[in-house]
Amino acid sequence: MYSEWRSLHLVIQNDQGNTSVLHSYPENVGREVANAVVRPLGQALITSSVGSESLLKTDKEVKWTMEVVCYGLTLPLDGDTVKYCVDVYTDWIMALVLPKDSIPLPVIKEPNLYVQSILKHLQNLFVPRPDPGSSQIRLCLQVLKAVQKLARESTIMARETWEVLLLFLLQINDTLLAAPTVQGGIAESLAEKLIGVLFEVWLLACTRCFPTPPYWKTAKEMVANWRHHPAVVEQWSKVICALTSRLLRFTYGPSFPPFKIPDEDAGLIPPEMDNECIAQTWFRFLHMLSNPVDLSNPAIISSTPKFQEQFLNVSGMTQELNQYPCLKHLPQIFFRAMRGISCLVDAFLGISRPRSDSAPPTPVNRLSMPQNTAINTTPPHNRRHRAVTVNKATMKTSTVTTAHASKVQHQPSSTSPLSSPNQTSTEPRPLPAPRRPKVNSILNLFGSWLFDAAFVHCKLHNGINRDSSMTAIATQASVEFRRKGSQMSTDTVASNPMFDASEFPDNYEAGRAEACGTLCRIFCSKKTGEEILPAYLSRELSKFKIYVNPTELRRASINILLSLLPLPHHFGTIKSEVVLEGKYSNDDSSTYDKPVTFLSLKLRLVNILIGALQTETDPNNTQMILGAMLNIVQDSALLEAIGCQMETNGGENNLFKSHSRTNSGISTASGGSTEPTTPDSERPAQALLRDYALNTDTAAGLLIRSIHLVTQRLNSQWRQDMSISLAALELLSGLAKVKVTVDSSDQKRAISSVCSYIVYQCSRPAPLHSRDLHSVIVAAFQCLCVWLTEHPDMLDEKDCLKEVLEIVELGISGSKSKSSEQEVKYKGDKEPNPASMRVKDAAEATLTCIMQLLGAFPSPSGPASPCSLVNETTLIKYSRLPTINKHSFRYFVLDNSVILAMLEQPLGNEQNDSFPSVTVLIRGTSGRFAWAQQLCLLPRGAKANQKTFVPEPRPAPKNDVGLKYSVKHRPFPEEVDKIPFVKADLSIPDLHEIVNEELEERHEKLRNGMAQQIIFETSIDQKSEEEWRKKSFPDPITECKPPPAAQEFQTARLFLSHFGFLSLEALKEPANSRLPPHLIALDPALPGFFDDLGYLDLLPCRPFDTVFVFYMKAGQKTSQEILKNMESSRIVQPHFLEFLLSLGWSVDVGKHPGWTGHVSTSWSINSCSDEEGPEQDDVIISEDVGASIFNGQKKVLYYADALTEIAFVVPSPVESLTDSLESNVSDQESDSNMDLLPGILKQPSLTLELFPSHTDNLNPSHRLSPTSRSKKVPQGRTIPPMGPETKVYVVWVERYDDIENFPLPDLMSETSTGVETTANSSTSVRSAIPEKEVPVIFIHPLNTGLFRIKLQGATGKFNMVIPLVDGMIVSRRALGFLVRQTVINICRRKRLESDSYNPPHVRRKQKIADIVNKYRNRQLEPEFYTSLFQEVGLKNCNA
């Protein structure tokens, strides 16, 4: 209507007319000025007498004062300043009505100019204060009354002033009413008055100064933001009905039945408004509310800017719609809007009759019925919650709160559509006026609204008005809603004087019924010969035709099929004469119907199941079929494996084979076949039989058919649907665990299809990537891990291994290295760009699974722990060296992801101490592993006989060998004597020539000394020669010998060096990175190091889940009664104990290294003592403690595979087990089921499962048992954050009707796992998980020996979880497997939906990085190398 006109919304927002110059000064300055200036003016008004003049004389004084008053209106309400400001302004604006002496003369001279400024200033008063109280409400009402009087009585108001007045009213209404309503706030108190004044002034403006289109457009946009207030619709209904009453007078003349309305409502329309103005105003006011059907969609109502601001809390996380109480009024508001439209329709039809109650007026008071009278609504099976889509933005938000209501009584009514339900049969019904408008005319005005309102929250089978944004509405909620019908409730409706809580239901059925009734009256008012447009007729017929929704009809049929699937295996060759009557017999020679066996119907049921899966399009139905497929495949596999196939005679066997291979449930007899089946419906099953050519009577054939069909549709029809994709992946995971031998090509097909699915989802355009899409990709990686761990031999095939590793590469890096035959992009050349960090984490987990788990699970330590049950404490305890303590280890970190704890001393056990040995504890993202290594220098066979190297002996020397020469040594050569003397030689005299007596004496003395020296030296030489001859040969002192072998080694340095970790590059800080070097040392001497190391060891390596099992006898309602059922095996059914046995094997809590059901007793390996264990077992077994033995105090049932671990806890009264252990009296009776429990306790492999679980860990450990229900964490043990709590309740109910009485809230306090109290959660169990979201699996044993399943709270974000489906019938063989698989899938879904969950390897990686940051030994390279040559822990050891 106003598409070509611009809105004034931005003009209003950008208008600064309500700001004062005092806003530029500090707050205390403005406050003091306002208090000082305004007080004299206000007091002057109070004490003024007739003839007293204003204090302000000039225009300058008035304008300056108005700046102060403008600021004063923004002050808190704790003083009289704001009141004085309001008094002054409400007095001054009367200058346009009746000038007074108290009004300044400049204002009287130019009232329009000053009133425009005053109105802008008064906007400040309506800004919500933190604590408004009654004073602000009183002042606002004073202003509104003044404005109302101004509009009514002023005759000199200019158009500009009217426009400012309208914008002022729009602005203050938007300020107070656009935001979500606060209970008891100022908006709730003033809403009715605000809207009333706005509409009244607007009507006066239409009479005196008709608003231009921009004003109408702005009003329409703003009113759309206030519709969550009941007063808006209420006042709109009053105004439009009053306008309609005036409109009908001059449109259809005086003979047309008058539309009677209350006098106060009729007074809203100015008497001077002419007919043309009435028509124009009526049409514009009719569309002032926009589309009233929007009121049925909280997503649209809450999409306004003020709501969006409120949706973001302090942390930036969006809140749920149901947290806003104002949205709970939408059903009532929607109903009131539809009632107002219904009044208008009745007025145009001329069937008006006066109302006896209050506004809004309605010609026929159809809904003011007694409280016990029902509202005729659409049939229950077609009531659905559906949000009405308006644009693409609103399609993204499709959350509608499901109403909770109490039941009302439905009474049949024989009145016609045109009569009022509160009329008696003797009262004449009102008839339409003869001069009424045509049906098409009325529908042109109101048809689109009424038809949309009639289809609110309905999903028609032909897709009419089907809202694509609501296809993911929870099925459980809608089923409950349809089951309870249109019900009444008052507990969720806040008190409101405008609405009677007992009259309005808190769902949208009332408004929808009003629209349907109005449409009936419109169509029934058709005149003879009048033609209705086909578009209107088709929509009417679509709405009121007999509702047979094919989707829900198929769902009911699938439920029947789910109950039939176990019958062939359960009853076998039993013949059914009553139910089947031989119609499907394959005996062509028989001339009469011959009864057939249940077993002969197996293939027919399978074909129906597969055919249904091929043709089904509804996500809920498809998921139910997928769950049924795993049920039938697993049941067939178990039946064949235990060798319990029914033995039949030759004739029956031939008949069975003939039926299963040739008939397939389809008559092949020539001639007239009486088979009541349609060939088209059976064609998919026939096609499958032809394509596969398999004997599908076997479990292997069923498995192959299931794999082929699911994989084909997963990568075609289903890959766009998240909920079906998740269910299909869960089905494939379940099929991987079915122990049936099939060809490797079929297994490869499943793996390849999952890989293709991941490739497709990762390659989708970026705008389509969302958290939900990434959740499905993560689920696909988990499915891939299940197939690889269950069939590790598949990776022996080169092409399969290549495809899997390419998918892992795609998940981690975001692309494949080899995109085509020619291109190869190496890792170093690729920029990592994974789809998301969650996808990358899932791919890394898959790579860890391939490299570390395949072929290595379960380890010799048992399935309870995929890691080594060895740590520093264990090595210290079992080593034979007393000097070893926790400070004897060296700690290093590789690549910021692997912590190495190295013990260089040999353990003193079977290791050869003469060789270098090192014991390494490797703590990585996948767990803790211990390696004992020796440097092997010789072949293993030579170790025992090898001695220290000894050189060969030398031969004895022979001194008589060769010739000996006596040589006299000369100081100079002989040639010197032959040289003739020269004169210079003769110049030196001889000695004897210069010797005198004195010199002779000295000479003689020297000669004697020389002679003695010669004799001495000769004797020394002779003595030395004699000693040398006496020595042995060779000389041990001078002989060269090989060094002795080293006995002590610095093996940590050798290990790091041999593995290439000690390079200089590995110790340098990486450039442009905050990561530490590739190799760093940790300082264990820092306080808290070993606590953090123990914290790391407590982080589990696999996801862990908890199941609490209860037994509910018939008629029980209290939690204590249910818990006491576990005290004795005599009071429970034998099948219950067998069911427990099929879930897991028994483990001792004190000796168990895995998950035990509570964080205080899980994942511990060193608080062990080998004493008292067998004695305790004997005491337990001798007493009939029933299933309470598995209450988690001493024992628990446990199941684990390579990817997950589950603890099955049977809660019992705290004192029950303690009392039974203290008592030595055994009360065994003949009807006791206790004979089953010793098998559970002594033989963990004895289960209903065909494939016994792995033996429990034999490593002894013992832990003190908790003495109360609330187990406390041992002192000094820090429990890390574990992510979302994943626990499931399994309840065995003897009587199905007792399910409604199950005391879930009371039992939730008995099922603490400790996860809810860890560091990542500050809430209690009850507040952490709402009661309606707790998954509960009810198992009801039937008289036939089968079991009926009831699921509650197991519907997540992506709809239902399989394989168990609500209402499914399960055999005794498959019950344990299906329950366990459903538990695994429920918990995986919960982790997928959690924003705070990190996979185990990610949590361990983060903790390792934290340890590195806290305890890194920041050494220089020389210091690091020096520390490798020093012994570790000497100081600590000596201390």
Side-chain angles (χ1 to χ4, degrees):
M1 186 188 304
Y2 311 109
S3 60
E4 297 179 1
W5 300 89
R6 69 181 182 92
S7 172
L8 301 178
H9 190 72
L10 293 178
V11 176
I12 296 175
Q13 285 185 346
N14 297 328
D15 187 13
Q16 300 296 322
N18 61 336
T19 59
S20 168
V21 68
L22 289 179
H23 285 96
S24 303
Y25 289 87
E27 183 179 355
N28 57 344
V29 174
R31 178 189 289 269
E32 293 174 1
V33 171
N35 291 336
V37 172
V38 176
R39 183 175 296 276
L41 294 175
Q43 291 177 350
L45 289 176
I46 298 174
T47 61
S48 64
S49 60
V50 179
S52 61
E53 296 181 353
S54 173
L55 301 176
L56 307 177
K57 305 298 182 181
T58 65
D59 181 80
K60 184 177 180 180
E61 293 175 351
V62 172
K63 290 183 178 179
W64 184 87
T65 304
M66 289 178 65
E67 291 289 329
V68 178
V69 175
C70 176
Y71 183 85
L73 290 170
T74 64
L75 294 176
L77 302 172
D78 48 1
D80 294 333
T81 303
V82 179
K83 179 183 182 301
Y84 289 151
C85 292
V86 173
D87 292 340
V88 169
Y89 268 178
T90 53
D91 182 68
W92 287 6
I93 64 175
M94 290 298 107
L96 284 172
V97 179
L98 181 63
K100 295 185 297 183
D101 295 336
S102 60
I103 302 175
L105 186 60
V107 178
I108 296 175
K109 289 182 178 180
E110 297 183 39
N112 282 285
L113 180 63
Y114 282 96
V115 169
Q116 292 173 23
S117 299
I118 290 173
L119 291 175
K120 293 180 181 180
H121 293 177
L122 285 172
Q123 294 178 16
N124 296 327
L125 176 66
F126 293 84
V127 177
R129 265 64 166 182
D131 295 315
S134 60
S135 58
Q136 185 178 9
I137 297 175
R138 185 173 61 255
L139 294 176
C140 291
L141 289 175
Q142 179 181 343
V143 172
L144 290 175
K145 291 178 181 178
V147 169
Q148 196 174 22
K149 181 178 180 181
L150 173 67
R152 289 175 179 175
E153 300 178 9
S154 176
T155 57
I156 61 174
M157 195 184 307
R159 168 173 283 276
E160 292 77 13
T161 308
W162 275 107
E163 291 177 350
V164 172
L165 177 59
L166 295 179
L167 291 180
F168 163 73
L169 292 173
L170 289 175
Q171 176 65 20
I172 63 175
N173 274 271
D174 195 72
T175 300
L176 291 175
L177 303 183
T181 308
V182 179
Q183 185 71 24
I186 182 174
E188 188 178 36
S189 302
L190 293 176
E192 185 176 4
K193 186 65 175 178
L194 284 168
I195 294 295
V197 172
L198 171 64
F199 285 169
E200 181 181 353
V201 173
W202 200 280
L203 291 173
L204 290 170
C206 292
T207 305
R208 302 172 188 176
C209 182
F210 199 90
T212 58
Y215 286 83
W216 287 99
K217 183 174 184 178
T218 306
K220 181 179 179 181
E221 291 177 352
M222 286 191 169
V223 170
N225 298 336
W226 314 333
R227 290 179 294 180
H228 55 281
H229 291 275
V232 176
V233 175
E234 189 75 11
Q235 294 296 328
W236 173 82
S237 297
K238 290 182 178 181
V239 172
I240 196 63
C241 287
L243 287 170
T244 304
S245 179
R246 289 280 302 272
L247 179 71
L248 293 177
R249 294 181 195 174
F250 67 87
T251 304
Y252 294 98
S255 62
F256 195 83
F259 183 24
K260 298 179 182 179
I261 58 174
D263 295 336
E264 61 172 325
D265 296 346
L268 295 174
I269 310 302
E272 63 270 22
M273 185 179 289
D274 59 18
N275 295 343
E276 179 62 23
C277 185
I278 287 286
Q280 294 293 335
T281 305
W282 176 86
F283 188 79
R284 285 165 170 77
F285 253 95
L286 179 65
H287 296 275
M288 180 82 78
L289 199 64
S290 298
N291 189 350
V293 184
D294 294 345
L295 293 167
S296 65
N297 190 348
I300 294 178
I301 301 301
S302 61
S303 63
T304 62
K306 290 295 181 67
F307 265 86
Q308 297 300 323
E309 292 176 6
Q310 295 292 330
F311 279 177
L312 296 178
N313 56 20
V314 178
S315 62
M317 301 297 293
T318 58
Q319 300 178 354
E320 296 295 333
L321 293 179
N322 55 14
Q323 294 185 7
Y324 296 97
C326 61
L327 296 181
K328 295 181 180 179
H329 293 296
L330 288 183
Q332 297 91 319
I333 300 174
F334 172 65
F335 167 69
R336 184 64 77 179
M338 289 299 105
R339 173 183 280 187
I341 295 173
S342 176
C343 293
L344 301 182
V345 171
D346 288 350
F348 278 97
L349 291 178
I351 56 175
S352 172
R353 66 172 41 246
R355 281 176 50 93
S356 60
D357 57 348
S358 61
T362 179
V364 180
N365 190 9
R366 296 176 305 281
L367 292 178
S368 298
M369 299 177 293
Q371 190 169 351
N372 60 346
T373 305
I375 300 171
N376 292 328
T377 62
T378 53
H381 64 268
N382 202 43
R383 296 179 196 144
R384 281 177 179 254
H385 286 287
R386 182 183 65 83
V388 179
T389 304
V390 174
N391 51 38
K392 293 183 179 179
T394 58
M395 290 174 63
K396 297 180 181 179
T397 57
S398 58
T399 305
V400 179
T401 306
T402 304
H404 299 277
S406 58
K407 297 183 178 180
V408 295
Q409 300 176 358
H410 288 260
Q411 296 179 354
S413 176
S414 60
T415 58
S416 67
L418 294 180
S419 64
S420 174
N422 64 345
Q423 287 179 298
T424 62
S425 58
T426 60
E427 216 174 336
R429 66 180 184 181
L431 296 176
R435 299 185 65 247
R436 63 184 179 274
K438 294 183 178 180
V439 171
N440 289 339
S441 298
I442 299 178
L443 291 178
N444 287 339
L445 277 175
F446 309 104
S448 61
W449 295 344
L450 293 174
F451 281 119
D452 288 345
F455 290 120
V456 161
H457 300 163
C458 292
K459 181 178 169 185
L460 299 185
H461 65 278
N462 57 359
I464 293 179
N465 277 12
R466 180 172 178 172
D467 186 359
S468 60
S469 67
M470 295 301 293
T471 55
I473 291 178
T475 303
Q476 184 68 26
S478 62
V479 170
E480 286 296 318
F481 178 79
R482 289 192 300 273
R483 183 176 67 85
K484 293 182 180 180
S486 179
Q487 302 169 350
M488 310 289 285
S489 175
T490 60
D491 53 353
T492 60
V493 181
S495 59
N496 192 313
M498 216 167 280
F499 293 131
D500 183 4
S502 63
E503 181 183 357
F504 300 96
D506 60 346
N507 55 48
Y508 299 95
E509 291 294 296
R512 183 180 165 209
E514 187 76 30
C516 291
T518 304
L519 284 172
C520 287
R521 292 194 300 278
I522 293 174
F523 279 90
C524 290
S525 65
K526 172 182 172 292
K527 299 178 183 179
T528 304
E530 181 181 349
E531 293 183 0
I532 302 176
L533 292 177
Y536 293 142
L537 279 177
S538 62
R539 297 191 71 178
E540 180 71 5
L541 293 176
S542 300
K543 179 170 65 66
F544 291 105
K545 68 185 292 187
I546 301 298
Y547 290 103
V548 179
N549 192 321
T551 299
E552 297 190 0
L553 182 62
R554 291 176 64 85
R555 185 170 304 149
S557 303
I558 293 171
N559 276 319
I560 296 175
L561 181 61
L562 295 183
S563 63
L564 293 177
L565 282 178
L567 299 184
H569 290 162
H570 187 71
F571 293 109
T573 56
I574 297 178
K575 296 180 180 180
S576 174
E577 299 181 358
V578 178
V579 179
L580 303 175
E581 299 179 354
K583 292 184 179 180
Y584 307 125
S585 173
N586 196 44
D587 189 358
D588 298 337
S589 61
S590 61
T591 57
Y592 57 91
D593 288 342
K594 179 180 179 181
V596 296
T597 63
F598 282 91
L599 193 60
S600 65
L601 298 177
K602 173 185 175 182
L603 186 60
R604 179 176 179 82
L605 292 175
V606 171
N607 286 338
I608 294 175
L609 185 69
I610 294 179
L613 186 61
Q614 286 184 310
T615 58
E616 186 58 63
T617 57
D618 181 72
N620 290 343
N621 294 352
T622 303
Q623 293 172 76
M624 293 172 65
I625 298 172
L626 292 175
M629 290 188 72
L630 184 56
N631 183 5
I632 187 65
V633 173
Q634 175 67 8
D635 197 25
S636 300
L638 294 175
L639 189 64
E640 291 180 7
I642 62 178
C644 291
Q645 286 283 15
M646 304 303 295
E647 296 182 0
T648 58
N649 55 37
E652 290 177 338
N653 194 28
N654 293 336
L655 172 63
F656 174 68
K657 289 183 179 179
S658 174
H659 177 274
S660 62
R661 295 183 181 179
T662 62
N663 191 9
S664 302
I666 305 167
S667 178
T668 57
S670 59
S673 173
T674 59
E675 175 97 351
T677 58
T678 304
D680 291 340
S681 64
E682 295 292 339
R683 194 165 295 154
Q686 293 176 349
L688 283 175
L689 287 175
R690 288 195 305 269
D691 293 341
Y692 299 130
L694 296 170
N695 181 13
T696 49
D697 289 335
T698 64
L702 284 175
L703 179 60
I704 293 172
R705 289 183 70 178
S706 303
I707 291 175
H708 282 219
L709 180 58
V710 173
T711 54
Q712 185 270 331
R713 297 186 74 84
L714 179 63
N715 286 287
S716 55
Q717 291 93 334
W718 295 344
R719 61 185 182 182
Q720 301 288 349
D721 193 301
M722 303 297 179
S723 58
I724 300 180
S725 296
L726 276 177
L729 292 170
E730 291 170 353
L731 172 60
L732 287 176
S733 299
L735 294 177
K737 298 180 180 181
V738 176
K739 305 301 181 180
V740 173
T741 302
V742 296
D743 190 70
S744 61
S745 61
D746 297 305
Q747 299 174 356
K748 182 181 175 183
R749 180 187 182 100
I751 295 175
S752 179
S753 68
V754 176
C755 294
S756 301
Y757 180 80
I758 295 174
V759 171
Y760 171 78
Q761 300 295 354
C762 290
S763 61
R764 298 181 72 177
L768 298 179
H769 279 249
S770 62
R771 177 176 176 82
D772 293 346
L773 177 65
H774 297 157
S775 296
V776 177
I777 298 175
V778 172
F781 273 109
Q782 293 173 349
C783 176
L784 187 62
C785 289
V786 173
W787 272 94
L788 294 177
T789 53
E790 294 293 334
H791 306 279
D793 54 332
M794 291 305 301
L795 293 187
D796 295 339
E797 300 184 14
K798 181 179 178 180
D799 53 346
C800 185
L801 176 61
K802 178 182 176 183
E803 184 174 15
V804 170
L805 292 181
E806 283 182 345
I807 295 303
V808 171
E809 179 192 19
L810 173 65
I812 294 177
S813 65
S815 62
K816 296 182 180 179
S817 293
K818 191 173 182 180
S819 57
S820 63
E821 293 297 332
Q822 293 80 15
E823 281 189 45
V824 175
K825 198 170 185 179
Y826 295 101
K827 175 183 177 181
D829 301 331
K830 291 197 303 181
E831 182 178 353
N833 186 25
S836 71
M837 291 306 298
R838 297 173 64 221
V839 173
K840 179 183 177 183
D841 294 340
E844 289 178 346
T846 305
L847 183 61
T848 301
C849 173
I850 295 172
M851 297 301 176
Q852 298 192 16
L853 292 179
L854 262 59
F857 185 87
S859 63
S861 60
S865 176
C867 305
S868 300
L869 300 179
V870 177
N871 60 4
E872 288 86 349
T873 307
T874 311
L875 292 176
I876 294 171
K877 178 177 180 179
Y878 290 101
S879 64
R880 300 178 183 176
L881 300 179
T883 59
I884 296 180
N885 59 20
K886 64 179 182 180
H887 298 286
S888 301
F889 292 82
R890 294 181 185 267
Y891 290 90
F892 302 93
V893 179
L894 300 176
D895 294 327
N896 202 36
S897 60
V898 178
I899 298 178
L900 303 179
M902 296 187 182
L903 179 63
E904 297 179 306
Q905 291 88 341
L907 298 178
N909 46 23
E910 69 278 357
Q911 293 178 337
N912 191 335
D913 293 343
S914 61
F915 290 95
S917 63
V918 61
T919 305
V920 184
L921 293 176
I922 304 174
R923 291 179 171 89
T925 58
S926 59
R928 179 187 62 250
F929 305 96
W931 284 87
Q933 306 177 56
Q934 278 193 319
L935 180 61
C936 188
L937 301 173
L938 296 171
R940 288 184 178 274
K943 284 186 177 181
N945 301 324
Q946 186 68 33
K947 298 180 180 180
T948 305
F949 175 75
V950 178
E952 294 292 334
R954 300 180 183 181
K958 294 182 179 181
N959 293 331
D960 55 353
V961 177
L963 300 175
K964 283 189 176 183
Y965 298 93
S966 5
V967 180
K968 185 178 180 181
H969 296 282
R970 292 170 53 92
F972 299 102
E974 293 179 358
E975 286 78 5
V976 174
D977 298 337
K978 298 178 182 181
I979 300 174
F981 291 104
V982 295
K983 290 181 180 181
D985 296 326
L986 297 177
S987 65
I988 301 173
D990 291 335
L991 184 64
H992 64 276
E993 294 179 357
I994 62 173
V995 172
N996 53 21
E997 292 181 1
E998 184 181 355
L999 292 175
E1000 184 63 29
E1001 290 178 2
R1002 296 179 180 177
H1003 188 204
E1004 185 63 26
K1005 187 176 180 181
L1006 180 60
R1007 187 183 296 112
N1008 292 334
M1010 291 176 62
Q1012 290 177 5
Q1013 183 64 28
I1014 291 172
I1015 294 171
F1016 177 75
E1017 290 182 0
T1018 303
S1019 64
I1020 291 297
D1021 291 341
Q1022 291 176 353
K1023 185 178 179 181
S1024 176
E1025 184 177 355
E1026 291 176 358
E1027 290 178 357
W1028 179 79
R1029 290 177 180 177
K1030 293 179 181 179
K1031 286 183 179 180
S1032 61
F1033 182 83
D1035 189 352
I1037 298 177
T1038 61
E1039 183 187 15
C1040 182
K1041 296 180 180 179
Q1047 298 297 323
E1048 295 184 1
F1049 305 91
Q1050 293 170 334
T1051 50
R1053 172 172 51 83
L1054 295 177
F1055 176 84
L1056 295 175
S1057 178
H1058 292 169
F1059 279 84
F1061 297 136
L1062 283 182
S1063 63
L1064 291 175
E1065 291 76 10
L1067 301 177
K1068 293 181 179 178
E1069 298 278 352
N1072 300 325
S1073 175
R1074 295 192 298 179
L1075 295 175
H1078 295 294
L1079 174 65
I1080 62 173
L1082 300 179
D1083 188 358
L1086 293 176
F1089 175 80
F1090 291 102
D1091 293 337
D1092 279 343
L1093 212 59
Y1095 183 99
L1096 176 62
D1097 287 340
L1098 280 178
L1099 289 175
C1101 306
R1102 296 172 292 185
F1104 60 94
D1105 309 317
T1106 313
V1107 178
F1108 293 95
V1109 187
F1110 300 94
Y1111 188 96
M1112 187 177 184
K1113 295 183 69 66
Q1116 291 183 341
K1117 294 183 179 181
T1118 65
S1119 60
Q1120 290 303 316
E1121 290 176 336
I1122 294 174
L1123 293 176
K1124 288 183 179 180
N1125 294 333
M1126 302 302 177
E1127 294 181 347
S1128 174
S1129 61
R1130 295 187 298 272
I1131 60 178
V1132 299
Q1133 297 174 348
H1135 288 323
F1136 173 71
L1137 297 177
E1138 293 180 357
F1139 165 67
L1140 288 179
L1141 186 61
S1142 67
L1143 294 176
W1145 55 88
S1146 173
V1147 295
D1148 291 331
V1149 172
K1151 303 177 182 179
H1152 183 55
W1155 174 243
T1156 62
H1158 198 278
V1159 293
S1160 63
T1161 56
S1162 301
W1163 306 304
S1164 181
I1165 59 174
N1166 291 317
S1167 58
C1168 56
S1169 174
D1170 298 340
E1171 302 174 0
E1172 300 180 0
E1175 298 171 359
Q1176 291 286 351
D1177 289 345
D1178 293 340
V1179 174
I1180 293 175
I1181 295 174
S1182 63
E1183 298 291 336
D1184 181 10
V1185 295
S1188 64
I1189 186 64
F1190 303 118
N1191 64 357
Q1193 294 183 6
K1194 296 294 183 181
K1195 289 184 178 293
V1196 76
L1197 290 171
Y1198 179 79
Y1199 172 84
D1201 55 24
L1203 302 176
T1204 188
E1205 56 180 341
I1206 310 175
F1208 298 90
V1209 183
V1210 184
S1212 62
V1214 179
E1215 67 277 1
S1216 62
L1217 184 59
T1218 307
D1219 295 343
S1220 63
L1221 293 178
E1222 292 176 354
S1223 173
N1224 294 324
V1225 180
S1226 176
D1227 185 13
Q1228 302 288 341
E1229 298 184 6
S1230 57
D1231 60 344
S1232 173
N1233 296 321
M1234 194 61 195
D1235 54 342
L1236 295 172
L1237 286 178
I1240 300 176
L1241 300 174
K1242 296 271 191 178
Q1243 304 176 21
S1245 61
L1246 178 60
T1247 66
L1248 290 178
E1249 300 286 282
L1250 302 177
F1251 310 96
S1253 303
H1254 305 291
T1255 57
D1256 190 21
N1257 172 32
L1258 299 178
N1259 184 27
S1261 63
H1262 177 72
R1263 192 180 298 107
L1264 292 177
S1265 300
T1267 58
S1268 64
R1269 178 70 59 200
S1270 57
K1271 302 179 182 179
K1272 295 183 179 179
V1273 178
Q1275 187 175 4
R1277 181 178 187 182
T1278 304
I1279 301 300
M1282 299 298 178
E1285 185 180 17
T1286 53
K1287 62 181 179 181
V1288 181
Y1289 295 83
V1290 176
V1291 184
W1292 186 287
V1293 289
E1294 291 185 354
R1295 192 170 64 187
Y1296 193 80
D1297 294 339
D1298 290 336
I1299 291 177
E1300 295 184 357
N1301 300 325
F1302 182 69
L1304 180 59
D1306 297 335
L1307 290 172
M1308 287 177 66
S1309 61
E1310 305 290 333
T1311 56
S1312 172
T1313 61
V1315 176
E1316 68 279 354
T1317 58
T1318 53
N1320 67 322
S1321 176
S1322 60
T1323 55
S1324 63
V1325 181
R1326 298 194 181 190
S1327 60
I1329 305 178
E1331 178 186 340
K1332 62 181 180 180
E1333 297 180 8
V1334 176
V1336 184
I1337 302 175
F1338 292 98
I1339 302 173
H1340 171 58
L1342 303 175
N1343 294 332
T1344 58
L1346 298 173
F1347 300 91
R1348 184 181 180 185
I1349 303 299
K1350 168 70 176 176
L1351 296 182
Q1352 175 180 308
T1355 302
K1357 182 178 181 181
F1358 299 101
N1359 220 319
M1360 64 181 66
V1361 183
I1362 65 169
L1364 288 182
V1365 178
D1366 194 14
M1368 177 182 283
I1369 304 298
V1370 181
S1371 69
R1372 176 183 169 191
R1373 289 176 300 273
L1375 180 61
F1377 171 85
L1378 294 177
V1379 168
R1380 189 169 59 241
Q1381 194 64 24
T1382 304
V1383 167
I1384 293 174
N1385 293 336
I1386 288 174
C1387 297
R1388 281 181 179 168
R1389 290 278 189 100
K1390 196 166 187 178
R1391 285 187 285 267
L1392 282 179
E1393 297 171 9
S1394 173
D1395 295 332
S1396 61
Y1397 175 74
N1398 284 323
H1401 75 281
V1402 175
R1403 294 204 299 269
R1404 293 183 63 86
K1405 182 191 298 184
Q1406 293 170 350
K1407 185 57 184 177
I1408 291 174
D1410 179 60
I1411 291 176
V1412 170
N1413 293 332
K1414 292 171 64 175
Y1415 304 106
R1416 177 182 173 185
N1417 197 340
R1418 300 184 180 274
Q1419 299 171 315
L1420 298 176
E1421 295 174 18
E1423 295 174 344
F1424 180 85
Y1425 283 112
T1426 302
S1427 65
L1428 293 176
F1429 290 88
Q1430 296 175 345
E1431 289 195 38
V1432 64
L1434 286 179
K1435 178 180 178 181
N1436 296 322
C1437 290
N1438 295 334

